[in-house]
Amino acid sequence: MTQENLLDEALEAWRYARTSLIAEAEGVPDDGYGFRPHPQSRTLAELLVHVAESGCMMAGELSRADGDFTRKPFEELVAEHTEGLVREGSPAEIRAELERTLNDGMERLRAAGEAQLLRPIRQFDGIEASRLSWMYHGIAHEEYHRGQVALYARLQGLVPVLTRAIHGSDAR
């Protein structure tokens, strides 16, 4: 697919990262969503909700004219941008929330426009960067968690979706 501009390219990268993460999550049976590899780790369901929260915060802050990741403590930024987010439910409901928040976030960023994403924003470390470069950080964050979902699947004796797609259904 040919991209019209830098914003379209970034949105396509985000869509790919998120839908790939959802596909990995779909490869885990419903009873695996409570799996926690360590007592202090998130469950698979909690991990997916974290991705939805982070994506909402990313799209919300990047689309604000006065966006600044240091304007409030982290927890307050998340709360501001996730009002109404469904944090509990069946695995299908959690995956649907990942899809909904992706679509909502993409709409917000499209409405803000490419020029907005080329403007600077203060990152969590206080250093300014373009909003577009920060968006790629957010996409990388989702890919990182996609890897965790694949690991959670492996730890439950499953073959991750991407592995099956490349090497066949009986790949280990």
Side-chain angles (χ1 to χ4, degrees), residues 21 83 150 172:
L21 179 135
E83 189 173 325
R172 286 278 162 195

Side-chain angles (χ1 to χ4, degrees), residues 143-163:
E143 290 288 0
Y144 169 84
H145 288 305
R146 176 184 174 192
Q148 279 187 290
V149 173
L151 178 60
Y152 278 36
R154 286 264 186 220
L155 292 171
Q156 294 181 68
L158 304 168
V159 178
V161 170
L162 180 60
T163 301

Side-chain angles (χ1 to χ4, degrees), residues 114-133:
E114 183 179 27
Q116 170 80 352
L117 254 22
L118 297 176
R119 293 183 52 232
I121 192 165
R122 189 173 326 280
Q123 303 174 103
F124 291 111
D125 61 6
I127 298 171
E128 285 192 351
S130 77
R131 292 162 192 254
L132 183 63
S133 70

Side-chain angles (χ1 to χ4, degrees), residues 17-30 32-35 42-56 85-99 101-102 141-142 145-150 152:
R18 178 67 68 87
T19 58
S20 296
L21 179 135
I22 293 167
E24 286 294 350
E26 287 173 338
V28 177
D30 287 3
Y33 277 64
F35 175 77
R42 291 178 173 120
T43 65
L44 177 56
E46 291 166 343
L47 180 63
L48 297 174
V49 169
H50 165 72
V51 170
E53 290 173 335
S54 298
C56 289
L85 180 73
V86 175
R87 289 179 168 84
E88 294 183 9
S90 70
E93 290 167 328
I94 292 170
R95 292 189 307 267
E97 195 67 352
L98 283 165
E99 291 176 26
T101 58
L102 170 66
H141 174 256
E142 294 200 12
H145 288 305
R146 176 184 174 192
Q148 279 187 290
V149 173
Y152 278 36

